[in-house]
């Protein structure tokens, strides 16, 4: 069994905050894979479902703690103990200041790096769980960090945020199979379209290859030895042709 945890703060007031991107990722996965409706449990919202990974179907739980970010570990610890899971069965999705918007990284263990939700989970279950860090970018000034994190995503952010959430949902089955590196690579591949310059270069190369093939065929036809008319006439006579 896999426990997927999205971090955020409860309530409409916080719904569009950058700090709530973990909630958004959890909702995207649940929606894409047909998880059951949420129910209140473990001081959070719990949804049950399955992820069909390369190694088969895996029962999975999605938990959104409702304890507010700073006490997220209470909900995660309660769910983990109830289902007799280990930290290795837990995957946490959360915002990362030190990653550029639209970037994602996965790691196991490590420090909290100032993230209060991760610090709380560390305190309740230890730090050996999988972490999916979703970049929200740094405002560039420490004095603006709080307002940046607790501010809504800009309208222009939807250009990268929506594809990111879709990619996370599509790649989630790889987490069920324990393929964390492939999960990250799959998302990167989905979010990196072929660059226009590369497309043009490939198109030009194909055109050039086609032109070269035609020129080669034409040259070959032109270089084909021409027959001697007297020899051809004699051959035709032998064959009974006039």
């Amino acid at each position: 069994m896999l426990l997927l945890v999205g971090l955020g703060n409860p309530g409409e007031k916080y719904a569009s905050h950058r700090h709530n991107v973990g909630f958004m990722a959890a909702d995207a996965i649940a929606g894409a894979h047909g998880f059951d409706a949420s129910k209140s449990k473990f001081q959070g919202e719990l949804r049950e479902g399955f992820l069909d990974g390369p190694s088969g179907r895996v029962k999975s739980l999605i938990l959104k703690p409702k304890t507010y970010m700073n006490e997220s570990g209470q909900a995660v610890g309660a769910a983990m103990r109830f289902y007799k899971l280990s930290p290795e069965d837990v995957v946490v999705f959360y915002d990362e200041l030190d990653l550029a918007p639209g970037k994602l990284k996965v790691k196991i263990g490590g420090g909290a790096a100032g993230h209060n939700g991760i610090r709380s989970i560390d305190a309740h279950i230890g730090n050996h769980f999988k972490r999916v860090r979703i970049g929200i970018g740094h405002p560039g000034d420490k004095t603006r960090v709080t307002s940046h994190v607790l501010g809504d995503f800009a309208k222009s952010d939807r250009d990268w945020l929506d594809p990111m959430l879709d990619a996370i949902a599509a790649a989630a089955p790889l987490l069920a199979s324990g393929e964390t590196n492939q999960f990250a690579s799959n998302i990167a591949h989905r979010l990196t379209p072929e660059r226009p310059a590369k497309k043009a270069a490939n198109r030009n190369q194909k055109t050039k290859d086609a032109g070269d093939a035609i020129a080669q065929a034409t040259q070959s036809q032109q270089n084909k030895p021409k027959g001697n008319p007297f020899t051809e006439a004699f051959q035709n006579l032998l064959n009974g042709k006039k």
Side-chain angles (χ1 to χ4, degrees):
M1 183 181 288
L2 189 68
L3 176 60
L4 304 173
V5 180
L7 297 188
N9 288 310
E12 284 299 314
K13 176 182 176 181
Y14 305 100
S16 298
H17 282 189
R18 294 180 180 89
H19 213 26
N20 273 40
V21 73
F23 273 8
M24 298 175 194
D27 288 339
I29 295 171
H33 297 280
F35 275 56
D36 293 344
S38 64
K39 55 188 175 184
S40 295
K41 202 167 184 179
F42 311 120
Q43 301 181 72
E45 287 185 5
L46 185 73
R47 300 179 71 172
E48 299 183 19
F50 294 89
L51 291 174
D52 294 312
S55 301
R57 173 167 274 205
V58 177
K59 175 69 179 293
S60 303
L61 306 168
I62 289 179
L63 177 66
K64 292 164 59 179
K66 294 296 184 178
T67 53
Y68 287 93
M69 184 70 79
N70 292 2
E71 300 296 337
S72 299
Q74 294 180 13
V76 178
M80 197 182 82
R81 289 188 295 272
F82 181 86
Y83 290 103
K84 296 180 173 58
L85 302 176
S86 67
E88 290 80 4
D89 300 316
V90 178
V91 182
V92 181
F93 297 83
Y94 63 99
D95 55 298
E96 176 59 75
L97 269 172
D98 293 329
L99 282 179
K103 297 297 182 181
L104 177 146
K105 286 191 177 181
V106 182
K107 70 174 183 176
I108 300 175
H115 196 287
N116 290 334
I118 296 299
R119 183 180 290 114
S120 176
I121 296 174
D122 284 352
H124 283 267
I125 71 170
N127 74 347
H128 203 67
F129 55 89
K130 299 178 183 69
R131 304 150 191 248
V132 179
R133 301 179 293 156
I134 303 169
I136 61 170
H138 196 287
D141 185 340
K142 289 183 178 180
T143 62
R144 295 170 52 207
V145 165
T146 299
S147 61
H148 177 73
V149 170
L150 296 179
D152 288 351
F153 279 109
K155 189 174 181 179
S156 59
D157 287 327
R158 305 309 303 194
D159 291 341
W160 66 263
L161 180 59
D162 290 342
M164 168 68 78
L165 296 175
D166 289 343
I168 288 173
L174 292 168
L175 292 173
S177 299
E179 301 177 66
T180 52
N181 289 336
Q182 289 87 338
F183 168 77
S185 298
N186 187 286
I187 291 174
H189 178 72
R190 290 173 182 274
L191 297 178
T192 308
E194 191 176 12
R195 290 174 295 181
K198 186 175 180 180
K199 282 185 179 180
N202 289 340
R203 186 168 57 249
N204 292 340
Q205 185 62 46
K206 288 179 181 178
T207 302
K208 181 178 181 300
D209 290 344
D212 289 346
I214 293 172
Q216 185 176 4
T218 301
Q219 186 65 36
S220 176
Q221 186 65 32
Q222 291 175 345
N223 293 339
K224 186 177 179 180
K226 296 181 180 179
N228 188 309
F230 296 105
T231 302
E232 289 181 4
F234 182 70
Q235 187 64 44
N236 289 339
L237 183 61
L238 291 177
N239 292 336
K241 295 182 181 179
K242 294 183 178 180

